Amino acid sequence: MNIHEYQAKEVLRKYGVPVPEGNIALNPKEIEKAAELDAKVLVVKAQIHAGGRGKAGGVKIAKTKSEAIKYAEEMFGKVLVTHQTGPEGQKVGRVYIESGSNISKEYYVSIVLDRATSVPVFIVSTEGGMDIEEVAEEAPEKITKVQIKNGEMFGFHARQMGFALGFSGDLLKKFIKVASGLYKVFVGLDCDQVEVNPLVVTEEGEVVALDAKVSFDENSLYKHKELLEYLDEAEEDPLELRAKENELSYVKMDGNIGCMVNGAGLAMATMDIIKYYGAEPANFLDVGGGATKERVSEAFKIILSDKNVKAILVNIFGGIMKCDIIAEGIIAAVKEIGVKIPLVVRLAGTNFELGKKLLDESGLKIVAADDLDDAAQKAVKAIES
């Protein structure tokens, strides 16, 4: 789950990481109040779940309160197109105004999970303010990685990073405190990523998180239900939100063959074979092993809500999830909302014969498939005809 910059800074502040003072405006009426900060320079930032806002006009420097208000008013409702939003961009619905900082030097600091070793890893660089991918490509020697093995961060970890960034004396002590706070956030809240870019040293000698990005592992949110207050539904795909409400695993994609599958591995295989035969999947949708007829019906409706879908491939291997339950869900959904596009169904496993019988006797136009290879070819052929 992604959150906005101002929310990430609120989290960091709770863990002792210094951040600039700022106020959020959730609508245009709150702009004037949000701009009431005791600072010579104000920074106005559009809040969207994407990086690259500055290059897209989503970050402005204001020397007066009236100028900050003007910039904020212009940002509300604006569509920002960055390298992370895609060409469609994202509409700005929140604007953050914060105190400016006297920047002496910028740095990059982040924590992610190293998938190869299954341990958290700090990534730090002296090249703050730049995309870390760009730094990795152009100057990889300026990136230092420090793994935190056995789950506990010690002082030598932070000192190693601090030395790599050129810190010493009082600045090193302040950096160690910041790095420790960031790690506590990452581990304590089950984060996927904690990124500060840039982390700055000010002219006054302070170490401050000038920007922040925090994302949480959705699978652990049951342990941190208070974090759900940070969810901005306006930033989420409406179909994905609808799927979450019905305990479905759904991710919208760019293709035109909708997929409904039980089991993540089977779903990946289904998408792969669709691509193998020259088409593109429209979604990843896993109804799970214990789905009810109602949940299956809702899954079907979600797939059909995507206007890009030109055919649907249902691939079910019945185990805990019985094929007849899937068949009943398909029939209920099709009868309720109607289907005018080709529907290819492959059933195997528990009660597959009963499931096929239910589909055959439903009177619906369903193309039966013998196996996954056959199903994929029929689905691809259906969108070509």
Side-chain angles (χ1 to χ4, degrees), residues 364-381:
L364 303 173
K365 293 183 179 180
I366 296 175
V367 179
D370 297 325
D371 52 41
L372 179 53
D373 190 77
D374 182 43
Q377 291 188 61
K378 287 178 176 177
V380 173
K381 185 178 180 181

Side-chain angles (χ1 to χ4, degrees), residues 19 25 37 101 311 316:
V19 298
L37 293 165
S101 300
I316 300 298

Side-chain angles (χ1 to χ4, degrees), residues 214-225:
V214 175
S215 60
F216 307 105
D217 182 350
E218 291 186 355
N219 294 316
S220 66
L221 287 177
Y222 73 94
K223 295 189 291 183
H224 311 285
K225 292 184 179 179

Side-chain angles (χ1 to χ4, degrees), residues 185-258:
V185 172
F186 184 83
V187 175
L189 298 179
D190 295 301
C191 296
D192 281 329
Q193 179 186 36
V194 174
E195 181 183 66
V196 176
N197 187 26
L199 177 77
V200 303
V201 171
T202 67
E203 295 288 354
E204 297 78 18
E206 299 299 324
V207 179
V208 180
L210 201 64
D211 197 357
K213 178 180 180 181
V214 175
S215 60
F216 307 105
D217 182 350
E218 291 186 355
N219 294 316
S220 66
L221 287 177
Y222 73 94
K223 295 189 291 183
H224 311 285
K225 292 184 179 179
E226 73 281 1
L227 296 177
L228 293 173
E229 296 178 3
Y230 288 136
L231 179 65
D232 182 359
E233 294 189 355
E235 293 284 328
E236 303 290 328
D237 183 282
L239 293 181
E240 293 184 14
L241 277 176
R242 184 173 165 186
K244 288 178 184 177
E245 292 171 358
N246 289 275
E247 299 180 7
L248 298 166
S249 296
Y250 173 86
V251 179
K252 189 177 183 301
M253 302 176 75
D254 297 329
N256 54 11
I257 296 182

Side-chain angles (χ1 to χ4, degrees), residues 4 15 17 27 29 39 71 113-114 145 172 180 196 216 220 222 250 261 301 306 310 318 325 329 353 363 368:
H4 290 294
Y15 282 78
V17 177
N27 57 65
K29 294 180 180 179
Y71 286 146
L113 183 66
D114 186 338
K145 297 181 181 179
L172 179 60
S180 177
V196 176
F216 307 105
S220 66
Y222 73 94
Y250 173 86
V261 187
K301 294 174 188 176
D306 183 352
K310 305 302 179 185
I325 299 297
E353 291 180 344

Side-chain angles (χ1 to χ4, degrees), residues 22-25 30-37 95-98:
N23 298 314
I24 187 66
E30 297 180 355
I31 292 175
E32 188 169 349
K33 184 178 180 180
E36 293 177 356
L37 293 165
V95 175
Y96 188 51
I97 303 177
E98 69 177 9

Side-chain angles (χ1 to χ4, degrees), residues 290-332:
T292 62
K293 180 173 68 175
E294 291 73 23
R295 195 187 300 175
V296 171
S297 179
E298 186 62 30
F300 213 77
K301 294 174 188 176
I302 289 172
I303 294 174
L304 291 171
S305 297
D306 183 352
K307 299 184 184 301
N308 293 328
V309 173
K310 305 302 179 185
I312 299 174
L313 171 54
V314 178
N315 182 24
I316 300 298
F317 188 85
I320 299 173
M321 168 53 64
K322 299 176 182 178
C323 292
D324 56 315
I325 299 297
I326 294 289
E328 289 175 357
I330 293 172
I331 293 168

